[in-house]
Amino acid sequence: MTTPTQITPALTALTAPGNVADRAVKRQRVLDILDAAGRDSLLLTTNTALTWYLDGSRVHISLAGDPIAALLVDRSGDHLVTFNNEAGRIAAEELPDGVSLDTVPWHGHLHAAAAGLAADGNPLAEAAVTAELRAARQQLLPAEAARYAALSADAAAAMTDVLTAVTPETTEFQLVSELAARIVAVGAEPLVLLCNGASRSDFRHPLATHSPLGRRAMAVVCARRNGLVANVTRWVAFDAGTPRELDAEARIAAVEADILRATVPGARLNEIFAETRQSYARHGFGEDQWTLHHQGGPAGYAGRDPRVTADATDTVVHNQPFTWNPSGPGVKIEDTVLLTDAGLRVLTTDHRWPTTEVDGRRRPLTLRP
């Protein structure tokens, strides 16, 4: 096994994110996990865990690839290991204060090298404490909550900018390319871009094509910045809509209102899931509608953390973000929200977008330019 080489950052950090106070809380949360497990070190290897613990550091190159770093948390401190060809950027731009940096050759074994830094060479694996780490991520801290709100507002604004400018002749690819450009321009990464025009409205995960939008279209973006992922869906139409479409839009908003009403501190995710299933039937979508698409769940450092199912028993807490996305034939509604002491706060908002009041909350309508 290659022994990692420790380096001392020679450059002043340029864009390293993170908040000292928030990071101290996160470290204590991980130490509590170690105490409960009776262990002295933990190896973090997934993008979700790393970006959360490092408070927003970018530890990827390819959006589809594995992280280019691993981190050992032990009683003495935090030890990040990366490949030698990544170390310069990591040291200059991504390394929070108080985290040591070690390197292995670009062809070396990253995880083995990081594990070798543990006193006994056998740290607790991240997979062994998946539920505990997810619980540690649930409650956003002040600085990350502020970053999340800013990202969500940027994602919503990008939707408004793009959808107010499209026409029935705009193609799906043209729409998502404009959306991607705006997301990247605000320093975020478009993890998911979906679009369906009128001819493809039956598809709930519609990857874009060269088809023109036609009379109505849906657009979806999941944007990541500082590790946090904001999710939003919007609709645009170039006519007044059919009575059937308008009725379905109102009913899916009513389903969402039931879900949001059930999202309270102390509720379990499977209880919210049960309410979701009942709500579809209650609002005329049928008892099996929930089987045709996932329903969303807690959000934050993963698109859904986790997706809600009948087996998800996590308990809802204050300052936890969510993205619920109920959908039916030709309709869907989706925003990123934060459960605060004052109730649910919708984060993906733009004052320019048309809204209506649903259950005391402003919810998006279909944009009709």
Side-chain angles (χ1 to χ4, degrees), residues 152 170 240 345:
S152 296
T170 302
R345 174 190 171 197

Side-chain angles (χ1 to χ4, degrees), residues 13-26 50-58 93-99 141-147 225-228 301:
L14 302 177
T15 62
N19 176 278
V20 173
D22 283 5
R23 286 207 63 250
V25 174
K26 293 179 180 184
L50 288 164
T51 54
W52 166 74
Y53 189 75
L54 295 173
D55 214 31
S57 297
R58 295 175 297 174
E93 300 177 348
E94 308 292 344
L95 191 68
D97 290 340
V99 180
L141 295 163
E144 60 188 347
R147 293 197 300 270
R225 188 170 66 203
N226 302 132
L228 292 157
Y301 288 89

Side-chain angles (χ1 to χ4, degrees), residues 233-256:
T233 294
R234 293 290 185 264
W235 289 82
V236 61
F238 304 97
D239 58 20
T242 68
R244 183 176 180 178
E245 289 167 352
L246 296 175
D247 176 65
E249 288 175 7
R251 288 186 292 116
I252 204 65
V255 172
E256 185 204 44

Side-chain angles (χ1 to χ4, degrees), residues 164-239:
T164 54
V166 297
T167 71
E169 291 73 38
T170 302
T171 69
E172 295 167 351
F173 272 134
Q174 287 172 331
L175 188 157
V176 298
S177 67
E178 290 294 330
L179 193 52
R182 280 163 173 77
I183 294 299
V184 173
V186 296
E189 299 142 3
L191 300 185
V192 176
L193 291 167
L194 303 176
C195 180
N196 61 11
S199 67
R200 305 175 64 239
S201 61
D202 288 341
F203 301 137
R204 305 202 190 191
H205 274 167
L207 295 176
T209 72
H210 289 292
S211 298
L213 301 182
R215 53 177 292 272
R216 69 191 296 258
M218 177 184 76
V220 179
V221 65
C222 301
R224 183 176 69 189
R225 188 170 66 203
N226 302 132
L228 292 157
V229 183
N231 314 286
V232 59
T233 294
R234 293 290 185 264
W235 289 82
V236 61
F238 304 97
D239 58 20

